[in-house]
């Protein structure tokens, strides 16, 4: 079974202004996007600092970090299972069974190219095969982006061109195209773009 994982914690002094907007509504919208676009067996797991008022279809896993920060985004790797790991600022816009298949059949994590430095990865969306719990076990608190760039990986842009894309790096100026997952980073977020038709259609 595929695990789809994301994280939510109360903002603290380690939180940047652009990540203080999240609440349970972001979790349910994200869950609904995956539910509309996955046909393989899957479960949704929220890594969180406390119990949240959410449907039973969303499993809640307590974070181990006493004071979460961005390095906490490595925690879902401790499961060691086939996983798609995304931030709450992610919108699923089309069928992603083929992305799930990577998690079941590949031997390396797939990460997007950094839209501002194409020679290196970002971790907006991670397609993770089984057996990568060492990413968590060997982690010593490094920034999640820095740490993931050090892991063996391939680029989802090369495997699935145009299917896992940055809003600011691609969609904002070039349109949605055949994108299946759009990830946001920094400013702006989906709730600040209510008049964009594809966001209205898919972020609900």
């Amino acid at each position: 079974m595929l695990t789809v994982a994301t994280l939510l914690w109360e903002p603290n002094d380690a939180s940047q202004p652009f990540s203080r907007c999240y609440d349970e509504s972001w979790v349910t919208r994200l869950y609904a996007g995956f539910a509309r676009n996955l046909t393989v067996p899957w479960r949704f797991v929220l890594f969180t600092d406390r119990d949240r008022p959410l449907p039973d279809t969303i499993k809640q896993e307590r974070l181990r970090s006493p004071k979460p920060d961005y390095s906490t985004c490595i925690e879902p790797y401790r499961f060691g299972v086939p996983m798609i790991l995304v931030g709450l600022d992610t919108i699923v816009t089309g069928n992603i069974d083929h992305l799930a298949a990577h998690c079941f059949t590949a031997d390396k994590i797939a990460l997007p190219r950094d839209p501002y430095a194409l020679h290196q990865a970002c971790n907006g969306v991670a397609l993770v095969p089984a057996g990568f719990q060492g990413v968590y076990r060997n982690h010593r608190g490094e920034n999640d982006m820095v740490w993931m760039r050090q892991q063996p990986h391939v680029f989802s842009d090369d495997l699935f061109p145009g299917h896992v894309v940055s809003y600011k790096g691609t969609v904002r100026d070039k349109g949605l195209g055949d994108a299946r997952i759009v990830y946001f980073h920094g400013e702006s977020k989906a709730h600040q773009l209510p008049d964009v038709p594809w966001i209205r259609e898919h972020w609900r």
Side-chain angles (χ1 to χ4, degrees), residues 5-112:
T6 192
L7 305 97
L8 172 64
W9 63 82
E10 290 300 312
N12 56 46
D13 57 11
S15 302
Q16 294 291 336
F18 55 74
S19 64
R20 294 176 175 270
C21 56
Y22 305 126
D23 59 19
E24 290 82 0
S25 69
W26 290 72
V27 181
T28 56
R29 289 173 188 257
L30 184 62
Y31 171 85
F34 278 97
R36 288 191 294 268
N37 292 292
L38 267 177
T39 68
V40 301
W42 67 289
R43 63 172 184 163
F44 189 98
V45 181
L46 173 68
F47 285 75
T48 182
D49 54 350
R50 59 177 175 82
D51 289 339
R52 303 277 178 169
L54 290 166
D56 292 340
T57 50
I58 297 172
K59 174 180 169 57
Q60 300 187 49
E61 180 77 15
R62 188 63 60 88
L63 288 168
R64 294 177 177 175
S65 304
K67 181 182 177 181
D69 58 25
Y70 299 110
S71 69
T72 303
C73 296
I74 299 300
E75 279 208 30
Y77 285 91
R78 60 181 160 92
F79 278 1
V81 298
M83 174 177 68
I84 297 178
L85 175 59
V86 298
L88 288 170
D89 52 349
T90 302
I91 301 179
V92 186
T93 56
N95 181 271
I96 55 170
D97 287 352
H98 60 304
L99 305 183
H102 176 91
C103 305
F104 290 114
T105 61
D107 59 1
K108 286 187 178 178
I109 298 167
L111 300 171

Side-chain angles (χ1 to χ4, degrees), residues 103-199:
C103 305
F104 290 114
T105 61
D107 59 1
K108 286 187 178 178
I109 298 167
L111 300 171
R113 291 184 181 274
D114 184 331
Y116 303 120
L118 295 175
H119 66 283
Q120 65 185 6
C122 71
N123 63 339
V125 177
L127 309 178
V128 186
F132 280 92
Q133 55 267 45
V135 173
Y136 171 73
R137 291 177 181 168
N138 298 326
H139 184 236
R140 296 296 179 267
E142 295 90 342
N143 172 275
D144 59 323
M145 185 86 75
V146 171
W147 183 239
M148 292 312 301
R149 286 173 177 159
Q150 297 175 29
Q151 309 308 310
H153 61 272
V154 292
F155 291 116
S156 52
D157 304 64
D158 301 344
L159 298 174
F160 313 107
H163 285 189
V164 180
V165 295
S166 157
Y167 171 71
K168 289 192 295 186
T170 300
V171 177
R172 181 178 61 187
D173 297 327
K174 299 179 181 179
L176 189 62
D178 193 30
R180 310 301 177 86
I181 297 181
V182 180
Y183 62 93
F184 292 69
H185 42 97
E187 299 283 358
S188 301
K189 304 292 189 191
H191 71 294
Q192 298 167 319
L193 304 164
D195 297 326
V196 178
W198 71 265
I199 292 180

